[in-house]
Amino acid sequence: MASVRSHSGCWTCRIRLKKCDDLRPTCGPCSFRNITCHGYGERPQFMYDPEEQKMELEKIQRAVSDSLKARRSFRVSKRTARGFKSQSIGNQSSRTVDEEKGNTRKPFTYLPSLNPAANEQDFSLIMNYLDNIFPLQFYFYQPSAFDRGRGWLLTLILRSKSAYYTTLAFSVLTQIIFQHNGETNAKPQLSKQLDEYHTLAVTELQRQLEYLPKVPGGAEHLRIGVEILSCTIQFLSIEVFRETKSFKGWKNDWEFHLDAAETMLSVIGNGLAQSSALSNLPVVSEDDLSQFPSSSLSDLAGLDFFMTTYVWSDILRCACFGLKPSSSHSFQYLNYLEEGRIRLDRVMGCRNWGMIAIREITDLEAWKIDMQKHGTLDIPVMYRKGTAIESRLTNGLSSLKEHSSAQTYIDQDCDLTTEIYAISAQIYLAIILWGNSPHTPAVRVTVASCLAAIKALPQHLIIRIAFPFCVAGCMASDEEKNDFRTVLYNVESGGFPLGMLWNCLDIMEEFWMMRDGGKPDSKPVTGNSGCPWTIAMERMGTRALLI
């Protein structure tokens, strides 16, 4: 039966011009497609503005497309799973009928008893991840004494089906992006592999999630928990890579995976608390290692790494879109950063104090918005809070100059990166205190300083500064706009990847257009932030994690 326009259904079906079954509180069509059902109440705010209505419709259409592709992937997984069940593991050396006919074999989990040559394709993808993708993601990674290099990562990938398939999916995705310019149609077989590996990873992750509650606290609970956490963080990374302009295929929701990682950290911490007397869980310091069996050292190394990656991502998520409401699973990590129990510079390249300042500025904006909503904003108090953050940033920048000599190259790169993040934090702070105008004295001075530091940064490090680049770029003067564009063109011509930087330039261009039209603050704050990059992304209908 053909769909007909709905006049009495939910607002989502009305805007889609589709038939609604009027089920409440969520209608059947919206529930089936896993999209937001705007209900049957008062006319939503976006319905009053044709431009906002158009943006909302585009967002719904993307969600419908994602849902369709997810259902297709699920069907692929069922077909693949049936193929696995019919395969005889007892006769691993024999070739299947499909292989005899020359058909491409299906992916499978690494089996230690299998002839290594049979795993050649999978191993090639895994080595591509370890040799190329991991260093691209985590250039600054410096294993601590108990990490014992990256051996823990290889162990995790080969023992965990979810981690194994996620790694294969990630490796295939990067082949599409870097070898085929992100065109999913350039080599359909790769796109099919990506969908299959991704779906298999989801299937294995679901099995682990069902198994974990049955495991008592202890080494086994830690092992399974870290495997789930690693898979979740990898899914987050995959969606961030998909969000870049380099990838031309369909995109998914990275925030879902970030929230899931936060929940897993809480679950792991509770599990460890049942089997130890430690009080700072899930953070485990080197002094606490004696309380764990030696077999858990690799798991603890993985926990520290993925937890640090989560904290970095969450700070930038909050800075991009405002502070999200806290939940019972919220991981309160600021104290651990201040104590140095979590070291962001060893994984992502910015010293803790710089990222702490960015998170404090996000907290300040959340406080300001809340006070404004209640009509109780105390301007002197806000300035005192801002002055305290500015003072810590100034002291931090001074400390970088004091120990600039006699450093390793990685420490020097960390300092250069930290400097840019810290200066961008000063711009961010000025925006919260003084508004989105690029003409305030504090903004003018700090944008010029940040641009100079970006120009002096080695080209291989530019990919590390997506958020600072966007913050400074949004507040650029007319004379500085081309300087920001030129930085990216030069890095691209030098052959270095840019990651989210092209997305950043789109966001900057959008805000410049709004600003030049005299409407940088034309929309009231409807979300958790009123910063330039947030406003521009809302207008564009996107939520890019600038990482």
Side-chain angles (χ1 to χ4, degrees), residues 488-505:
L488 299 193
Y489 298 147
N490 289 342
V491 173
E492 183 181 47
S493 64
F496 294 97
L498 284 166
M500 294 299 296
L501 269 298
W502 288 123
N503 300 62
C504 291
L505 185 59

Side-chain angles (χ1 to χ4, degrees), residues 135-140 312 417 421 460-466:
L136 176 64
Q137 287 181 278
F138 306 107
Y139 166 81
F140 291 100
W312 177 270
T417 304
Y421 270 91
H460 71 277
L461 294 178
I462 292 293
I463 192 175
R464 313 292 161 193
I465 59 163

